[in-house]
Amino acid sequence: MRSSIGMPRALWLLNRLRCMRPAEVAYRLRQAGINLLEKRGWLDTVNGGAIQASPRQPGVLKLLPLADGERDALLLAADRICAGHVTLFAGRSFNVGALPEWNRDPASGILGPAVYAGGIDVLDHALVGDIKYVWELNRHLHLVRLAQASLASVDPVYLRTLAAQLRGWLDQCPPLRGPNWTSGLEIGIRLLNWSLLWQLIQGDASALFAGASGQRLRTDWLHSIQAHCRHIERHLSRHSSANNHLIGELAGLFVGAATWPCWSASKRWRALAAAGLEDEAVRQYSRDGVNREQAFSYHVFSAEFLFAAGLAGHAWGQPFSSRYWQILGRAVRFLRSVRDIEGHVPMIGDADDGAAFRLGVDDDDRAAQLLALGAAVFDTVLDNSPPGSAGARWLLHALPGARPATGCAASESAPGWAFSEGGYLLFGSRFGAPDEIKGMLDCGPLGYLGIAAHGHADALAITLSVAGEECLVDPGTYSYWQEQKWRDYFRGTSAHNTVRIDGLDQSVSGGRFMWLKKAAASIERMPLAPGQFDFCGSHDGYLRLPDPARHRRRVRFDEASSTLVVIDEVAARGEHRLEQFWHFAPGLALSLAGDGLHVRGRRFALHIEVSGVNLVLELVSGCENPPLGWYSRSYESKQACDVFRITSLSGAVPVECRFTISFAGHGRQLQHAPGPT
């Protein structure tokens, strides 16, 4: 990204430079030189006639056995695409026409320029609209849906629409021209989906390539694929940008080079990508399976790429190492561990609802899809795993082959509770049972690498689910490009179940995807078990204040009494304004009491008793200026939620919250907490 909306370009550039080491500055200068050579046409993008080998196809694919109603749903979705309607992100439908204008933003209607991509400011709304919507359409997830439908029906309309849309894309988006060539990650995702599409239409044997026009389509498509691979190789996201973008780029390059080994460079591309993916899997996932971006949506996103590349490698006889699969097994285990019995995963860190592939018509739960993939690949019956998802079955169908030798031990499949290297600890009782209590404490780093792009200022925050019903929640992300105040709020400290001091975030932002000063959390006392949980930790985010302050949080959970105690204190010389925030899921009934708060859900009741000195207790919901009391389940949508804010002007005396949980007619019969009638 070249700049950040709402911040002067010069200031953003200065902040970005502050996050770079000398080696990265040299790399950026080198990339600028490559851009200049490409713009002037001094670097080849496509070597038109040098196709040296045929594309690959793992055999004739028959229709995947479909569940009741699944074929009808698939064809209905494909019919909507043929009529010009596509679904972007998490369920937002847009009419882009049967023959889309691929450089047009579906949300604003702005048509981006078909000029050299390296010179396009993708954050200029007047020029390109909202680039996220342009990119999402051009991932071509919906073209794969047409390929699936062509397997499920003899109606030629699906292949005909696919051919027309692909032909239009190749004509409108020549190499290095327009907004669809501005992101290496998007190019990688497009290659991945083109590969899935290729397999599903039967590759070279497809009716898509019949006749002279079909052969021209095939030739032009291969030339674009070659340009995609070359672009990724030249513009890999390195240094402080080497997060999920690099994994996505390498996965696209590997799958592209493996599917279409048609050029002299293909072997080099494949080797570069395979080695890079092996390295990045180690770098970007902790040894206990947590993605280091500290954003659970990107934990899933990166794992989707790694699974797709790994399965493609196995299908083509170029398998990845057992270490690679062990890392993926641990990533699946972590996701399974934090997921509650109703499938909720805390919305830690950034999320934009983007997917590497979308093969199931109704598979909106990508965490469930990843768990299903893990169950299939690692050949295990997993606690708390959903039934096999359609998306997982389609991916395995498009990339067939024997399961890889993963080397995963049985102990690495069982759910866990302590992920201290990754930065998360679980507390609660009866995990996996109907009366499960599952809480999570965030005691990890802010994010990954120098800019920690997708991390939130949420050190020592807590989430809580009771009997599969969300209670204490992380409010999510909302949007990357809406008004600055919303980006600042949703990634800031006041949007998380932790403590803010003197009205300041724990970490200092330098832009929408950049943190200049990062709060570092440390564990001072490690709990022994989730049911007898006794934790103490602190972070240094407020040591930057004129009167340095350290926030220390003690968390205790007792399984026998279903009681959670949270004690916050500020260690400093003078007084500070301490604000403690508790965000509750929409739909819960809340009422203030003299000493705290009553909460009632469908399956549980909760009473919070607060103690301290000079306390102000208030419920806030849907406040606009400044924002407080908002919740975002999906990208670009938000709704009001209740926030219990506790304010103290005395840092010397701790603020203690005692949460007493009870059930009514759901499993255990505990002492019923008082609540509203």
Side-chain angles (χ1 to χ4, degrees):
M1 295 299 181
R2 294 172 176 79
S3 62
S4 185
I5 295 172
M7 175 180 292
R9 179 178 174 81
L11 178 57
W12 182 88
L13 287 172
L14 176 61
N15 288 342
R16 192 68 181 85
L17 283 170
R18 291 169 64 185
C19 296
M20 294 184 188
R21 295 181 177 178
E24 180 168 4
V25 174
Y27 182 76
R28 301 291 177 186
L29 291 173
R30 175 181 175 274
Q31 293 305 108
I34 290 175
N35 286 342
L36 180 61
L37 294 175
E38 286 180 339
K39 183 177 182 180
R40 294 184 176 180
W42 296 347
L43 279 181
D44 287 338
T45 302
V46 176
N47 186 350
I51 297 177
Q52 300 176 356
S54 298
R56 287 174 165 172
Q57 173 68 18
V60 177
L61 288 184
K62 298 181 180 179
L63 176 63
L64 177 73
L66 300 176
D68 290 344
E70 191 175 345
R71 179 179 181 275
D72 291 342
L74 171 62
L75 296 183
L76 178 62
D79 288 341
R80 285 182 51 80
I81 294 169
C82 292
H85 298 276
V86 297
T87 299
L88 305 180
F89 301 115
R92 298 191 64 185
S93 181
F94 294 87
N95 186 352
V96 299
L99 296 174
E101 292 183 276
W102 294 103
N103 291 323
R104 189 178 296 280
D105 168 21
S108 68
I110 294 173
L111 181 64
V115 298
Y116 173 64
I120 298 175
D121 184 354
V122 296
L123 303 186
D124 184 344
H125 279 207
L127 183 67
V128 298
D130 189 328
I131 194 63
K132 287 289 294 179
Y133 286 88
V134 180
W135 285 342
E136 185 73 10
L137 173 65
N138 286 272
R139 291 179 174 183
H140 288 179
L141 306 172
H142 71 285
L143 296 190
V144 180
R145 181 78 71 234
L146 293 175
Q148 292 173 289
S150 73
L151 271 182
S153 171
V154 296
D155 192 333
V157 67
Y158 304 118
L159 273 184
R160 190 163 59 240
T161 302
L162 173 55
Q165 292 204 9
L166 185 56
R167 178 75 267 169
W169 195 93
L170 296 172
D171 291 342
Q172 296 172 37
C173 305
L176 305 185
R177 292 294 181 268
N180 290 306
W181 289 88
T182 55
S183 167
L185 173 62
E186 301 304 317
I187 291 170
I189 294 173
R190 195 157 50 243
L191 272 178
L192 171 57
N193 283 283
W194 280 359
S195 175
L196 294 173
L197 189 163
W198 180 269
Q199 314 311 326
L200 293 171
I201 65 171
Q202 314 295 347
D204 264 336
S206 174
L208 197 70
F209 306 128
S213 62
Q215 284 300 298
R216 283 195 301 273
L217 176 64
R218 178 186 181 277
T219 299
D220 292 345
W221 192 12
L222 288 175
H223 288 164
S224 186
I225 290 165
Q226 182 187 22
H228 277 61
C229 293
R230 284 194 172 184
H231 188 280
I232 291 176
E233 181 186 32
R234 289 175 180 164
H235 299 279
L236 286 168
S237 296
R238 298 294 193 188
H239 300 282
S240 61
S241 298
N243 52 17
N244 67 86
H245 283 238
L246 182 55
I247 286 180
E249 291 159 4
L250 291 169
L253 182 60
F254 178 83
V255 171
T259 307
W260 299 283
C262 303
W263 304 279
S264 59
S266 296
K267 184 176 181 180
R268 181 181 76 245
W269 293 334
R270 192 168 62 247
L272 169 69
L277 286 169
E278 292 272 6
D279 290 342
E280 292 307 313
V282 173
R283 290 191 181 108
Q284 297 196 37
Y285 283 85
S286 66
R287 286 173 295 182
D288 48 17
V290 181
N291 184 273
R292 297 187 188 276
E293 291 201 71
Q294 312 302 132
F296 287 6
S297 177
Y298 286 97
H299 178 103
V300 174
F301 192 49
S302 293
E304 286 174 345
F305 287 120
L306 294 174
F307 263 107
L311 292 170
H314 206 73
W316 303 133
Q318 298 158 339
F320 285 80
S321 69
S322 60
R323 182 182 67 168
Y324 180 93
W325 290 106
Q326 286 171 356
I327 291 166
L328 272 175
R330 293 167 188 159
V332 169
R333 174 180 181 255
F334 171 73
L335 186 64
R336 187 180 339 113
S337 298
V338 300
R339 193 172 184 260
D340 75 10
I341 57 169
E342 291 295 327
H344 302 115
V345 175
M347 296 189 296
I348 304 299
D350 271 349
D352 66 1
D353 297 341
F357 48 84
R358 189 170 284 126
L359 294 164
V361 175
D362 297 317
D363 275 357
D364 295 326
D365 187 344
R366 289 167 52 225
Q369 176 181 262
L370 191 64
L371 293 179
L373 264 176
V377 170
F378 303 124
D379 196 18
T380 53
V381 178
L382 305 174
D383 295 337
N384 197 25
S385 287
S389 74
R393 287 186 284 114
W394 273 105
L395 184 67
L396 294 166
H397 186 65
L399 299 171
R403 289 171 179 163
T406 63
C408 290
S411 60
E412 293 181 325
S413 296
W417 68 273
F419 303 89
S420 53
E421 182 183 328
Y424 301 96
L425 302 174
L426 301 180
F427 60 85
S429 59
R430 294 179 56 79
F431 291 170
D435 56 345
E436 166 190 85
I437 297 174
K438 179 169 283 189
M440 189 181 74
L441 172 67
D442 182 341
C443 53
L446 174 67
Y448 185 53
L449 300 176
I451 58 176
H454 292 298
H456 288 187
D458 56 1
L460 303 181
I462 289 172
T463 60
L464 177 67
S465 166
V466 182
E469 188 174 356
E470 290 182 298
C471 179
L472 294 173
V473 294
D474 185 307
T477 299
Y478 176 41
S479 175
Y480 290 161
W481 303 118
Q482 290 288 343
E483 189 179 350
Q484 183 74 42
K485 71 175 184 179
W486 294 111
R487 179 63 172 152
D488 290 343
Y489 167 66
F490 275 95
R491 71 200 291 251
T493 301
S494 65
H496 298 89
N497 300 319
T498 186
V499 163
R500 183 171 69 174
I501 296 177
D502 294 344
L504 300 173
D505 287 334
Q506 299 164 339
S507 297
V508 178
S509 174
R512 290 175 182 255
F513 298 95
M514 191 189 328
W515 293 98
L516 297 179
K517 294 184 179 179
K518 309 171 188 67
S522 58
I523 298 174
E524 298 174 6
R525 182 172 60 248
M526 181 71 182
L528 298 178
Q532 290 297 317
F533 192 89
D534 189 0
F535 166 90
C536 182
S538 65
H539 72 82
D540 62 2
Y542 294 112
L543 294 182
R544 70 183 194 270
L545 300 179
D547 174 26
R550 179 176 287 275
H551 170 215
R552 178 169 286 105
R553 169 165 277 190
R554 286 173 281 169
V555 180
R556 297 196 298 268
F557 179 80
D558 178 64
E559 180 176 6
S561 61
S562 294
T563 300
L564 169 69
V565 178
V566 180
I567 303 172
D568 288 309
E569 60 181 332
V570 177
R573 293 190 302 271
E575 288 189 348
H576 291 269
R577 183 171 184 260
L578 180 153
E579 296 170 281
Q580 192 184 64
F581 300 94
W582 300 109
H583 298 73
F584 290 90
L588 300 178
L590 283 75
S591 63
L592 281 172
D595 62 346
L597 186 74
H598 301 310
V599 182
R600 188 181 297 278
R602 298 186 308 276
R603 307 171 187 175
F604 72 94
L606 177 72
H607 176 63
I608 307 176
E609 181 180 357
V610 184
S611 61
V613 298
N614 300 324
L615 299 181
V616 177
L617 312 183
E618 56 186 328
L619 272 179
V620 181
S621 178
C623 183
E624 294 264 356
N625 292 301
L628 183 63
W630 295 94
Y631 176 86
S632 175
R633 171 55 67 183
S634 60
Y635 190 68
E636 290 283 344
S637 71
K638 69 180 189 300
Q639 66 182 107
C641 74
D642 289 311
V643 176
F644 184 34
R645 177 167 62 182
I646 305 163
T647 305
S648 171
L649 295 178
S650 174
V653 178
V655 176
E656 176 178 318
C657 289
R658 179 177 295 271
F659 300 74
T660 303
I661 303 167
S662 63
F663 297 79
H666 294 276
R668 287 176 285 172
Q669 295 291 329
L670 305 179
Q671 180 182 358
H672 192 73
T677 59

XYZ file of all heavy atoms in Angstrom, residues 547-608:
501
model
N 4.762 9.719 33.054
C 4.833 8.928 34.284
C 4.618 7.481 33.874
O 3.478 7.022 33.716
C 3.760 9.368 35.274
C 3.715 8.474 36.515
O 4.761 7.869 36.849
O 2.630 8.361 37.117
N 5.699 6.735 33.630
C 5.556 5.380 33.075
C 4.628 4.517 33.918
O 4.699 4.507 35.148
C 6.997 4.847 33.096
C 7.848 6.079 33.066
C 7.097 7.088 33.870
N 3.741 3.786 33.230
C 2.762 2.946 33.901
C 2.792 1.552 33.298
O 2.908 1.393 32.088
C 1.367 3.551 33.774
N 2.690 0.553 34.154
C 2.608 -0.834 33.688
C 1.261 -1.412 34.102
O 0.886 -1.348 35.274
C 3.737 -1.685 34.275
C 3.684 -3.154 33.837
C 4.866 -3.946 34.347
N 6.078 -3.608 33.621
C 6.452 -4.156 32.472
N 5.684 -5.066 31.888
N 7.586 -3.801 31.914
N 0.530 -1.927 33.093
C -0.741 -2.584 33.369
C -0.469 -4.047 33.704
O 0.141 -4.772 32.923
C -1.671 -2.473 32.158
C -2.902 -3.333 32.272
N -3.485 -3.954 31.183
C -3.655 -3.685 33.350
C -4.541 -4.642 31.578
N -4.662 -4.495 32.881
N -0.953 -4.456 34.878
C -0.825 -5.850 35.297
C -2.228 -6.422 35.477
O -3.085 -5.798 36.090
C -0.019 -5.949 36.592
C 0.123 -7.376 37.125
C 1.137 -7.462 38.248
N 2.506 -7.364 37.726
C 3.285 -6.297 37.829
N 2.830 -5.203 38.424
N 4.508 -6.305 37.331
N -2.435 -7.611 34.941
C -3.752 -8.265 35.027
C -3.600 -9.651 35.619
O -2.758 -10.444 35.167
C -4.415 -8.331 33.664
C -5.661 -9.204 33.578
C -6.491 -8.947 32.321
N -7.374 -7.793 32.519
C -8.343 -7.443 31.665
N -8.522 -8.130 30.544
N -9.114 -6.407 31.920
N -4.417 -9.928 36.637
C -4.503 -11.269 37.209
C -5.858 -11.866 36.831
O -6.887 -11.201 36.945
C -4.349 -11.221 38.730
C -2.897 -10.964 39.182
C -2.811 -10.752 40.669
N -3.213 -9.378 41.026
C -3.447 -8.959 42.274
N -3.353 -9.805 43.280
N -3.779 -7.710 42.502
N -5.827 -13.107 36.389
C -7.044 -13.799 35.947
C -7.109 -15.151 36.641
O -6.170 -15.953 36.547
C -7.056 -13.990 34.414
C -8.335 -14.710 33.979
C -6.927 -12.654 33.698
N -8.232 -15.374 37.342
C -8.436 -16.658 38.012
C -9.794 -17.222 37.609
O -10.797 -16.501 37.593
C -8.365 -16.506 39.538
C -7.019 -16.034 40.067
C -6.900 -16.295 41.563
N -7.909 -15.556 42.321
C -7.738 -14.345 42.847
N -6.572 -13.718 42.668
N -8.691 -13.756 43.529
N -9.819 -18.510 37.286
C -11.086 -19.192 37.025
C -11.130 -20.448 37.871
O -10.182 -21.247 37.883
C -11.240 -19.565 35.554
C -12.530 -20.298 35.281
C -13.716 -19.605 35.160
C -12.558 -21.688 35.187
C -14.914 -20.270 34.945
C -13.745 -22.364 34.970
C -14.937 -21.652 34.845
N -12.259 -20.622 38.568
C -12.459 -21.796 39.415
C -13.604 -22.628 38.848
O -14.750 -22.162 38.777
C -12.779 -21.367 40.849
C -13.053 -22.565 41.741
O -12.133 -23.380 41.943
O -14.213 -22.701 42.201
N -13.279 -23.839 38.434
C -14.273 -24.700 37.790
C -15.390 -25.088 38.744
O -16.563 -25.149 38.344
C -13.577 -25.958 37.257
C -14.500 -26.936 36.561
C -13.749 -28.109 35.963
O -12.529 -28.221 36.192
O -14.401 -28.919 35.265
N -15.064 -25.325 39.992
C -16.071 -25.796 40.942
C -17.190 -24.781 41.138
O -18.367 -25.152 41.265
C -15.401 -26.122 42.280
N -16.867 -23.498 41.149
C -17.885 -22.470 41.386
C -18.257 -21.699 40.125
O -19.096 -20.800 40.186
C -17.367 -21.471 42.436
O -16.186 -20.831 41.966
N -17.654 -22.047 39.001
C -17.871 -21.326 37.733
C -17.698 -19.817 37.935
O -18.536 -19.013 37.505
C -19.263 -21.637 37.166
O -19.364 -22.988 36.796
N -16.625 -19.462 38.563
C -16.351 -18.068 38.888
C -15.056 -17.617 38.222
O -14.028 -18.299 38.299
C -16.226 -17.867 40.410
O -17.457 -18.268 41.024
C -15.966 -16.407 40.742
N -15.124 -16.474 37.587
C -13.971 -15.842 36.954
C -13.687 -14.541 37.686
O -14.595 -13.730 37.894
C -14.254 -15.566 35.477
C -13.272 -14.681 34.712
C -11.935 -15.399 34.537
C -13.845 -14.293 33.351
N -12.439 -14.337 38.080
C -12.028 -13.107 38.754
C -10.930 -12.448 37.931
O -9.936 -13.099 37.590
C -11.528 -13.377 40.193
C -11.063 -12.077 40.849
C -12.631 -14.033 41.023
N -11.131 -11.174 37.616
C -10.149 -10.408 36.864
C -9.764 -9.189 37.692
O -10.642 -8.397 38.079
C -10.697 -9.963 35.497
C -9.644 -9.171 34.727
C -11.151 -11.171 34.677
N -8.480 -9.036 37.962
C -7.976 -7.929 38.774
C -6.978 -7.135 37.942
O -5.988 -7.688 37.454
C -7.304 -8.431 40.064
C -8.288 -9.275 40.882
C -6.773 -7.262 40.892
C -7.658 -9.965 42.073
N -7.256 -5.850 37.780
C -6.375 -4.967 37.013
C -5.777 -3.920 37.924
O -6.484 -3.286 38.727
C -7.163 -4.270 35.892
C -7.527 -5.210 34.764
O -6.626 -5.902 34.264
O -8.716 -5.264 34.389
N -4.481 -3.713 37.785
C -3.818 -2.660 38.542
C -2.813 -1.943 37.656
O -2.316 -2.507 36.670
C -3.126 -3.237 39.778
C -2.060 -4.268 39.468
C -1.436 -4.820 40.746
O -1.408 -4.091 41.754
O -0.984 -5.981 40.729
N -2.528 -0.704 38.012
C -1.576 0.123 37.286
C -0.427 0.449 38.227
O -0.634 1.062 39.278
C -2.237 1.412 36.769
C -1.202 2.290 36.084
C -3.376 1.083 35.810
N 0.754 0.024 37.839
C 1.947 0.321 38.631
C 2.589 1.589 38.081
O 3.124 1.591 36.968
C 2.927 -0.844 38.577
N 2.508 2.690 38.845
C 3.056 3.977 38.418
C 3.283 4.837 39.657
O 2.803 4.522 40.756
C 2.106 4.678 37.454
N 3.970 5.954 39.498
C 4.220 6.845 40.627
C 2.968 7.637 40.990
O 2.635 7.803 42.148
C 5.357 7.812 40.297
C 6.718 7.147 40.142
C 7.826 8.199 40.060
N 7.606 9.126 38.954
C 8.050 8.937 37.722
N 8.713 7.828 37.442
N 7.822 9.826 36.768
N 2.275 8.156 39.986
C 1.107 8.995 40.226
C -0.180 8.328 39.800
O -0.224 7.150 39.443
N -1.275 9.108 39.840
C -2.573 8.604 39.439
C -2.732 8.634 37.919
O -2.197 9.509 37.246
C -3.693 9.442 40.077
C -3.863 9.214 41.558
C -5.116 9.891 42.073
O -5.694 10.703 41.323
O -5.506 9.614 43.220
N -3.474 7.685 37.439
C -3.815 7.612 36.018
C -5.290 7.272 35.893
O -5.890 6.670 36.791
C -2.983 6.549 35.307
C -1.530 6.893 35.181
N -1.016 7.558 34.096
C -0.480 6.664 36.031
C 0.286 7.727 34.256
N 0.636 7.192 35.429
N -5.866 7.648 34.758
C -7.259 7.296 34.470
C -7.294 5.903 33.848
O -6.752 5.683 32.761
C -7.883 8.312 33.519
C -9.363 8.066 33.213
C -9.939 9.253 32.452
N -11.373 9.108 32.213
C -11.895 8.698 31.071
N -11.108 8.394 30.044
N -13.201 8.589 30.924
N -7.890 4.985 34.571
C -7.967 3.595 34.119
C -9.385 3.326 33.632
O -10.358 3.605 34.342
C -7.597 2.665 35.269
C -7.605 1.151 35.050
C -6.615 0.480 36.005
C -9.004 0.556 35.298
N -9.510 2.786 32.407
C -10.797 2.371 31.874
C -10.747 0.879 31.559
O -9.879 0.428 30.822
C -11.129 3.128 30.591
C -11.305 4.617 30.731
C -11.394 5.274 29.365
O -10.318 5.469 28.740
O -12.514 5.572 28.912
N -11.682 0.178 32.132
C -11.806 -1.261 31.879
C -13.044 -1.476 31.015
O -14.119 -0.957 31.320
C -11.943 -1.989 33.218
C -11.798 -3.481 33.178
C -12.043 -4.076 34.561
O -13.148 -3.982 35.087
N -11.014 -4.683 35.147
N -12.891 -2.211 29.917
C -13.974 -2.403 28.953
C -14.379 -3.873 28.902
O -13.525 -4.759 28.857
C -13.543 -1.970 27.547
C -13.133 -0.526 27.435
C -11.799 -0.159 27.561
C -14.080 0.461 27.217
C -11.413 1.161 27.449
C -13.705 1.792 27.110
C -12.366 2.150 27.233
N -15.717 -4.103 28.866
C -16.247 -5.451 28.675
C -17.303 -5.385 27.583
O -18.345 -4.754 27.750
C -16.856 -5.998 29.971
C -15.856 -6.079 31.090
C -15.802 -5.306 32.198
C -14.750 -6.984 31.181
N -14.733 -5.654 33.000
C -14.060 -6.690 32.385
C -14.261 -8.013 30.371
C -12.928 -7.386 32.803
C -13.129 -8.702 30.777
C -12.482 -8.392 31.969
N -17.016 -6.015 26.439
C -17.903 -5.997 25.276
C -18.742 -7.273 25.253
O -18.192 -8.384 25.310
C -17.099 -5.912 23.987
C -16.285 -4.667 23.858
N -15.131 -4.445 24.588
C -16.468 -3.568 23.092
C -14.635 -3.269 24.275
N -15.421 -2.713 23.371
N -20.066 -7.094 25.115
C -20.974 -8.230 25.149
C -21.598 -8.458 23.776
O -21.889 -7.516 23.037
C -22.063 -8.005 26.200
C -21.531 -8.071 27.595
C -21.064 -6.927 28.235
C -21.449 -9.280 28.269
C -20.544 -6.982 29.516
C -20.932 -9.349 29.552
C -20.470 -8.198 30.173
N -21.799 -9.724 23.458
C -22.365 -10.092 22.156
C -23.759 -9.495 21.997
O -24.536 -9.444 22.959
C -22.424 -11.610 22.028
N -24.098 -9.032 20.805
C -25.463 -8.558 20.562
C -26.476 -9.651 20.886
O -26.230 -10.837 20.667
C -25.465 -8.228 19.069
C -24.030 -7.953 18.743
C -23.234 -8.873 19.617
N -27.612 -9.245 21.422
C -28.660 -10.197 21.745
C -28.737 -10.579 23.201
O -29.731 -11.169 23.640
N -27.708 -10.268 23.987
C -27.755 -10.533 25.419
C -28.534 -9.420 26.117
O -28.556 -8.271 25.668
C -26.345 -10.624 25.998
C -25.434 -11.715 25.420
C -24.061 -11.644 26.058
C -26.043 -13.095 25.614
N -29.170 -9.763 27.241
C -29.909 -8.778 28.047
C -29.023 -8.319 29.191
O -28.555 -9.147 29.989
C -31.199 -9.389 28.574
N -28.784 -7.024 29.293
C -27.896 -6.462 30.304
C -28.636 -5.418 31.128
O -29.477 -4.670 30.600
C -26.670 -5.802 29.665
C -25.547 -6.701 29.165
C -25.903 -7.397 27.872
C -24.257 -5.895 28.975
N -28.313 -5.350 32.418
C -28.846 -4.294 33.276
C -27.831 -3.969 34.357
O -27.215 -4.862 34.949
C -30.182 -4.708 33.898
O -30.019 -5.834 34.730
N -27.642 -2.677 34.584
C -26.724 -2.235 35.622
C -27.318 -2.498 36.998
O -28.532 -2.340 37.215
C -26.431 -0.743 35.477
C -25.415 -0.333 34.407
C -25.390 1.179 34.253
C -24.020 -0.845 34.749
N -26.455 -2.896 37.914
C -26.832 -3.019 39.317
C -25.949 -2.058 40.111
O -25.026 -1.448 39.572
C -26.634 -4.457 39.797
N -26.220 -1.927 41.407
C -25.441 -0.983 42.184
C -23.961 -1.295 42.208
O -23.117 -0.393 42.182
N -23.643 -2.593 42.232
C -22.244 -2.995 42.356
C -21.694 -3.625 41.097
O -20.588 -4.151 41.089
C -22.085 -3.986 43.516
C -22.883 -5.279 43.278
O -23.735 -5.282 42.363
O -22.639 -6.262 43.991
N -22.465 -3.616 40.024
C -21.957 -4.275 38.824
C -22.994 -4.404 37.741
O -23.718 -3.452 37.438
N -23.117 -5.621 37.193
C -23.917 -5.823 36.001
C -24.543 -7.204 36.016
O -23.918 -8.178 36.450
C -23.009 -5.683 34.764
C -23.678 -5.726 33.394
C -24.429 -4.424 33.125
C -22.631 -5.962 32.297
N -25.802 -7.279 35.543
C -26.470 -8.558 35.316
C -26.531 -8.804 33.817
O -26.865 -7.908 33.040
C -27.885 -8.560 35.873
C -27.975 -8.305 37.338
N -27.220 -8.993 38.262
C -28.737 -7.425 38.038
C -27.506 -8.560 39.470
N -28.430 -7.601 39.368
N -26.252 -10.042 33.416
C -26.283 -10.423 32.005
C -27.074 -11.717 31.885
O -26.884 -12.649 32.669
C -24.851 -10.639 31.456
C -24.892 -10.994 29.978
C -23.979 -9.422 31.700
N -27.965 -11.752 30.892
C -28.718 -12.986 30.667
C -28.681 -13.333 29.183
O -28.961 -12.493 28.326
C -30.170 -12.845 31.131
C -30.932 -14.171 31.087
C -32.374 -13.998 31.526
N -32.477 -13.562 32.900
C -32.406 -14.367 33.955
N -32.191 -15.661 33.776
N -32.539 -13.901 35.173
N -28.330 -14.582 28.901
C -28.390 -15.109 27.556
C -29.468 -16.158 27.449
O -30.277 -16.345 28.359
N -29.492 -16.889 26.347
C -30.485 -17.951 26.173
C -30.176 -19.141 27.073
O -31.097 -19.832 27.516
C -30.519 -18.412 24.716
C -30.922 -17.345 23.727
C -31.072 -17.919 22.310
N -29.897 -18.659 21.891
C -28.799 -18.112 21.363
N -28.721 -16.802 21.221
N -27.780 -18.861 20.995
N -28.900 -19.377 27.337
C -28.491 -20.596 28.024
C -27.798 -20.351 29.353
O -27.447 -21.300 30.042
C -27.553 -21.401 27.122
C -28.115 -21.665 25.742
C -27.081 -22.274 24.822
N -27.576 -22.364 23.448
C -26.853 -22.775 22.422
N -25.591 -23.111 22.596
N -27.381 -22.826 21.214
N -27.568 -19.107 29.697
C -26.803 -18.840 30.907
C -27.202 -17.489 31.484
O -27.856 -16.661 30.828
C -25.300 -18.833 30.604
C -24.840 -17.616 29.828
C -24.348 -16.498 30.489
C -24.918 -17.593 28.443
C -23.947 -15.372 29.775
C -24.522 -16.476 27.729
C -24.034 -15.365 28.397
N -26.794 -17.285 32.714
C -26.879 -15.972 33.350
C -25.516 -15.664 33.943
O -24.733 -16.565 34.290
C -27.958 -15.958 34.439
N -25.220 -14.375 34.031
C -23.903 -13.931 34.503
C -24.105 -12.711 35.390
O -24.880 -11.806 35.056
C -23.024 -13.569 33.304
C -21.629 -13.012 33.573
C -20.713 -14.114 34.077
C -21.046 -12.410 32.289
N -23.432 -12.707 36.519
C -23.436 -11.526 37.380
C -21.998 -11.055 37.558
O -21.095 -11.851 37.838
C -24.044 -11.856 38.746
C -23.981 -10.706 39.703
N -24.638 -9.520 39.478
C -23.297 -10.550 40.869
C -24.386 -8.684 40.470
N -23.581 -9.290 41.330
N -21.787 -9.776 37.341
C -20.465 -9.169 37.520
C -20.517 -8.257 38.730
O -21.334 -7.329 38.789
C -20.026 -8.360 36.291
C -20.119 -9.198 35.017
C -18.612 -7.828 36.476
C -19.787 -8.425 33.755
